Amino acid sequence: MVPYTVFLTLLSLYLKGGPVARLPRALNAGIVVLSLLAALTVSGYITAEFRELNTVRLGSYNTLDIIIGGIAFSMVMFAVLLKYRAIFILNALLFLYTLNGSWAPYPFDHPGIRLERIITAMSVEFETGVFEKLPQLALTLIGAFMLFISIAQAFGAVDSVIRLVIGVLGSRPRLLPQAAVVGSMIIAMVSGSGAANAASTGSITIPLMKRAGMPPVKAAAIETASSIGGQLMPPIMGISAFVMADYLGVSYFDVVARGWAPALIYYIGLALAVYLASRAFLAGSTTLKLEYGKLEVYKASSLVASILLLIILMGLKREYPAYAALQSSILLLALLAASEGAAGSGLRDRAGRILGRLAEALKIFSGFVADITILLAALGVMTGLMTITGVPTRVGFLLLEVGAGNKLLLVALAFVFGYLVGLGLPPVVTYILTVVVIGPYMLQAGFNPWAVHFYAFLLGVMSELSPPTSVTAAVTSRIAGSGFVETMLEALRFAIPLFTVMVGVLLEPGLVAEPGLPQLIPAFKVLAATIAVVAGLSGGFHILIRLAAIAIGLAILVLI
């Protein structure tokens, strides 16, 4: 199915005027048709020859195998060029380095790897490259959860939740900013993306906060900090959480069960930071209210009921997560289709409304899955190229030389590495590279495996927020009409809980090591430290009180 996701990506871009905007329409159409023919050829060949490729010809591929593998590799890289240019550039540089590494300085130099070997390693060997486990994950487990999200968006359940939350909290001006926090937290349960969360909730919350007297930069920053929780909040966390489950060889629910504590600590700390920062601006503002009716209540309740079913099936019944997501999607579809049909005036009108929503859900779903598959296939290429050249091992030796015997220094190096990687790459890339390159050496230094993976996961979340390339801040600043850089810097102040949680998972590994009751004491400790640090950094108090609060928070984290 991977080649077909390339075709779907190019078809989507063609409908928007591409894939290559500078080329004539006829040539773009030719590119799309050619991609379909290539997808049919590659998929058909691999299906017919899979057993031979995986057994008889393993390691001694014939010319046709190499040609088909080259086509598959080229298709994915072309789609990556159009959709994820920064990753394409990185992969292109890694490809050149793999082909001829003699120009690289010691200890990264190597004699080079033959082109045929690179092509087969990136395609028909299946263990690395465009057909490895990451894109397979996108087309199976992640795809099942994307179906749930697509139905919720297409049938208006997401918008209903936003209107309901803002309608309830927006009636009191001082609670209006909390509507952005609570609304984003609920939408985060089904979005898994900071930018998507910001686009859906921010389009309503930011204008309302501005009307209530909140400066545009503050309004955009509050929504930015609230929206990055789309990566944190179970049960549908970011793509990195699915990859984490695969890397650790556990069920996705094992990640979800541990993810509740860090996510709730983050949102509680964020709510406090937002309250302390916004009370001065909204003290005398007028009452605002967003109208909502029975339909919004019904759709929001349907979404909540479906999320509860998902949690019950994964947690109590221990069903396979993809199956649980599918069953929850069926329930959500049935409930929302019923409301859509009830709104129609006749049988034809009702059927038309339902079919229209289904078509929209299919469009959203295919777009989600195609984009994620292309992204993870590109990451398969990236990790494959690094593996066959031994880059992680070489970087690891350097890290051991610098940080051997010093856990604090190793953590700092991991933070710097994750920050630099996240400057221009998505969270899942930051997570994967941190785990692959630095993770083994943190484990060797004695850190808990869950703590290491969650630390890398949080570094990935930070990449959606940190300067100078925050996509989430780009969305919110555009909605608010505020400066992009100013919004990013202001958002960092509200997102202080992210950093306390990041430190907390390493200093208090019990926060994520075992789900359930063992998490409670570490969670309360990290939450207390977060509240103290947030109170000290948010302002509104005497400088001595603020310094004391920060000192208490750090002492709770480090000493107690």
Side-chain angles (χ1 to χ4, degrees):
M1 293 304 296
V2 172
Y4 293 112
T5 63
V6 175
F7 162 69
L8 287 173
T9 298
L10 298 182
L11 178 61
S12 175
L13 292 173
Y14 175 77
L15 296 175
K16 297 174 183 177
V20 184
R22 296 180 181 179
L23 294 179
R25 190 72 171 165
L27 283 179
N28 277 311
I31 292 173
V32 175
V33 172
L34 187 62
S35 72
L36 177 59
L37 294 175
L40 290 167
T41 301
V42 171
S43 182
Y45 185 84
I46 289 177
T47 301
E49 298 291 322
F50 180 78
R51 187 181 298 276
E52 297 290 312
L53 288 169
N54 217 26
T55 54
V56 179
R57 299 201 296 272
L58 183 64
S60 57
Y61 302 101
N62 61 36
T63 303
L64 189 55
D65 296 338
I66 296 172
I67 292 173
I68 294 296
I71 293 173
F73 177 59
S74 301
M75 287 179 69
V76 170
M77 290 303 293
F78 180 62
V80 174
L81 172 62
L82 298 175
K83 296 288 292 184
Y84 304 102
R85 190 156 298 181
I87 298 177
F88 173 83
I89 293 172
L90 181 57
N91 277 351
L93 292 174
L94 280 171
F95 182 86
L96 294 175
Y97 167 70
T98 306
L99 193 63
N100 183 9
S102 59
W103 52 268
Y106 177 82
F108 296 101
D109 58 318
H110 66 88
I113 297 174
R114 293 182 300 110
L115 179 61
E116 294 85 353
R117 169 75 179 103
I118 298 175
I119 291 175
T120 57
M122 295 303 104
S123 56
V124 292
E125 290 186 15
F126 303 127
E127 291 299 317
T128 55
V130 300
F131 296 123
E132 64 127 56
K133 61 183 179 181
L134 290 180
Q136 291 177 36
L137 195 64
L139 288 161
T140 52
L141 178 61
I142 297 176
F145 283 86
M146 291 301 102
L147 179 62
F148 185 90
I149 296 171
S150 302
I151 293 171
Q153 287 194 1
F155 280 84
V158 172
D159 291 337
S160 295
V161 169
I162 297 170
R163 295 185 68 85
L164 185 60
V165 171
I166 297 175
V168 172
L169 295 180
S171 58
R172 298 184 63 183
R174 286 193 177 185
L175 291 180
L176 181 57
Q178 300 300 334
V181 177
V182 176
S184 293
M185 183 178 73
I186 296 174
I187 298 305
M189 293 182 179
V190 295
S191 72
S193 166
N197 200 324
S200 58
T201 59
S203 59
I204 299 176
T205 59
I206 292 174
L208 286 176
M209 283 190 282
K210 288 173 63 179
R211 282 172 52 196
M214 181 75 69
V217 171
K218 292 247 181 223
I222 288 171
E223 186 56 56
T224 300
S226 302
S227 294
I228 65 166
Q231 296 282 326
L232 288 172
M233 198 69 190
I236 305 178
M237 301 164 70
I239 302 173
S240 303
F242 293 93
V243 179
M244 186 194 303
D246 188 72
Y247 274 14
L248 288 169
V250 298
S251 167
Y252 173 64
F253 182 75
D254 290 324
V255 177
V256 168
R258 290 165 169 82
W260 285 105
L264 289 177
I265 292 170
Y266 174 77
Y267 272 110
I268 292 171
L270 174 62
L272 175 63
V274 169
Y275 172 76
L276 293 175
S278 62
R279 56 183 178 171
F281 296 102
L282 304 179
S285 56
T286 58
T287 299
L288 298 172
K289 191 167 184 178
L290 191 66
E291 296 297 330
Y292 62 91
K294 293 181 179 179
L295 182 61
E296 282 77 18
V297 174
Y298 176 82
K299 288 185 175 182
S301 300
S302 299
L303 181 60
V304 172
S306 300
I307 292 173
L308 288 176
L309 176 63
L310 178 62
I311 295 169
I312 290 170
L313 289 176
M314 287 196 302
L316 298 181
K317 301 291 186 180
R318 301 302 292 182
E319 298 284 1
Y320 181 61
Y323 174 81
L326 179 61
Q327 296 301 309
S328 301
S329 299
I330 292 172
L331 173 63
L332 182 62
L333 177 60
L335 293 173
L336 296 179
S339 70
E340 201 65 34
S345 56
L347 181 60
R348 178 174 295 182
D349 182 47
R350 291 173 181 175
R353 291 173 68 94
I354 293 173
L355 290 175
R357 295 286 193 175
L358 283 173
E360 180 64 20
L362 179 61
K363 179 181 176 182
I364 295 172
F365 172 71
S366 61
F368 277 161
V369 174
D371 283 353
I372 293 171
T373 303
I374 295 300
L375 172 61
L376 294 185
L379 299 186
V381 171
M382 182 186 299
T383 55
L385 290 172
M386 289 195 300
T387 299
I388 62 177
T389 53
V391 169
T393 303
R394 297 163 191 256
V395 172
F397 283 141
L398 290 178
L399 287 174
L400 285 178
E401 289 182 11
V402 175
N406 192 326
K407 286 187 174 183
L408 182 61
L409 183 56
L410 191 58
V411 169
L413 288 171
F415 181 86
V416 173
F417 178 84
Y419 180 84
L420 293 176
V421 170
L423 290 179
L425 298 171
V428 64
V429 186
T430 305
Y431 165 75
I432 290 174
L433 289 179
T434 304
V435 165
V436 170
V437 176
I438 299 180
Y441 302 96
M442 293 184 71
L443 294 174
Q444 191 173 329
F447 287 103
N448 180 277
W450 281 104
V452 171
H453 279 264
F454 265 95
Y455 183 68
F457 173 77
L458 293 167
L459 281 173
V461 175
M462 186 188 70
S463 72
E464 282 226 335
L465 175 73
S466 55
T469 54
S470 171
V471 178
T472 307
V475 173
T476 58
S477 62
R478 190 179 303 116
I479 295 172
S482 59
F484 173 55
V485 176
E486 292 86 347
T487 298
M488 277 191 298
L489 296 177
E490 190 68 27
L492 283 172
R493 293 181 56 196
F494 289 111
I496 289 299
L498 179 65
F499 299 96
T500 59
V501 171
M502 199 180 298
V503 174
V505 296
L506 292 178
L507 296 180
E508 286 292 331
L511 184 65
V512 292
E514 291 292 336
L517 292 177
Q519 289 179 283
L520 289 181
I521 294 177
F524 279 121
K525 177 178 174 180
V526 177
L527 177 60
T530 299
I531 290 173
V533 172
V534 167
L537 293 176
S538 294
F541 303 105
H542 190 277
I543 184 64
L544 293 179
I545 297 176
R546 293 173 60 187
L547 290 174
I550 295 172
I552 290 171
L554 294 177
I556 292 173
L557 272 179
V558 178
L559 300 178
I560 297 179

